Amino acid sequence: MKKPEVGLTHLRVTLSDTFYVGPGRADLLDGIDKTGSIAEAAKGMGMSYKRAWSLVQALNDGFGAPLVETQRGGSGQGANLTTDGRSVLEAYRRMQQATRDAIAPEVKALTRDMSRRK
Amino acid sequence: MKKPEVGLTHLRVTLSDTFYVGPGRADLLDGIDKTGSIAEAAKGMGMSYKRAWSLVQALNDGFGAPLVETQRGGSGQGANLTTDGRSVLEAYRRMQQATRDAIAPEVKALTRDMSRRK
């Protein structure tokens, strides 16, 4: 059986009344960065293209500057992160890691308590 | 206009394949602790009694020992946190604070970047 993921499983950071980043948004930015395509990124997450597209709109509008830019050309449509997009994604990954480090002692103590009870 | 909450808005910590704590569960434990009643705690959160009760069951079953215990008596039904319940709630609040502290520099840098763009 797969060992369950223990520790941080959801971190949402709100930056304004119109903008937040959570694990889904970060994974979408990551997927766009890796595949160069909103459709491919969505597919990799089991998300509909429509949903991914509306998340990209929410990210771009909410931040106040594009995090993702799209191109249309002869060979179809491509997408990539802007400098702002990359900077937001990297900051989120650093915050996830900082959180994992910060909560590690409590997680360890709690899982030890629980295993004593089972 | 109300200033939006900026910074950490959702922290979920998973401790086993059957147990996690997030802001809603922590607030429910807090409410039960303060009011001595699942019904009152639910009301304070705008949550149905049914939903609160099923969350209490999920917390108790998932942890493997009761976090909330209920009493029935002549004057109705009361509920309170067990030692384990208090210990989980306090650990969660410490993890929230540790996370806020850990992400503060990134939050500050990101909000400064955003305010420059508006």
Side-chain angles (χ1 to χ4, degrees), chain B:
Chain B
M1 224 169 70
K2 196 168 157 277
K3 209 183 165 206
E5 189 182 1
V6 166
L8 177 65
T9 44
H10 195 109
L11 174 71
R12 183 167 68 225
V13 180
T14 298
L15 295 168
S16 79
D17 52 355
T18 60
F19 190 74
Y20 71 85
V21 203
R25 289 171 172 218
D27 288 350
L28 180 62
L29 291 175
D30 237 344
I32 291 168
D33 192 37
K34 291 199 169 77
T35 63
S37 152
I38 295 172
E40 286 301 312
K43 199 190 288 179
M45 296 174 72
M47 184 186 277
S48 73
Y49 178 73
K50 198 179 161 188
R51 166 96 180 120
W53 177 255
S54 84
L55 273 177
V56 166
Q57 294 296 104
L59 283 162
N60 287 353
D61 295 347
F63 188 75
L67 301 185
V68 174
E69 55 187 10
T70 54
Q71 303 90 31
R72 283 161 197 276
S75 62
Q77 187 171 312
N80 60 270
L81 302 192
T82 61
T83 306
D84 282 332
R86 185 169 309 277
S87 146
V88 166
L89 176 58
E90 288 173 355
Y92 181 77
R93 295 307 185 202
R94 285 193 299 269
M95 290 190 285
Q96 276 186 313
Q97 192 52 54
T99 299
R100 284 191 197 101
D101 294 345
I103 69 176
E106 299 284 351
V107 170
K108 195 174 169 186
L110 282 166
T111 48
R112 194 187 50 215
D113 285 356
M114 285 178 74
S115 68
R116 280 193 190 134
R117 276 178 186 70
K118 296 266 163 151

Side-chain angles (χ1 to χ4, degrees), chain A residues 22-64:
Chain A
R25 288 170 172 218
D27 287 349
L28 181 61
L29 290 175
D30 238 344
I32 292 168
D33 192 35
K34 290 196 170 78
T35 64
S37 151
I38 295 172
E40 286 301 312
K43 199 190 289 178
M45 298 174 71
M47 183 185 278
S48 72
Y49 178 72
K50 197 180 162 187
R51 167 94 180 122
W53 177 255
S54 84
L55 274 176
V56 166
Q57 294 296 106
L59 284 161
N60 286 353
D61 294 349
F63 188 75

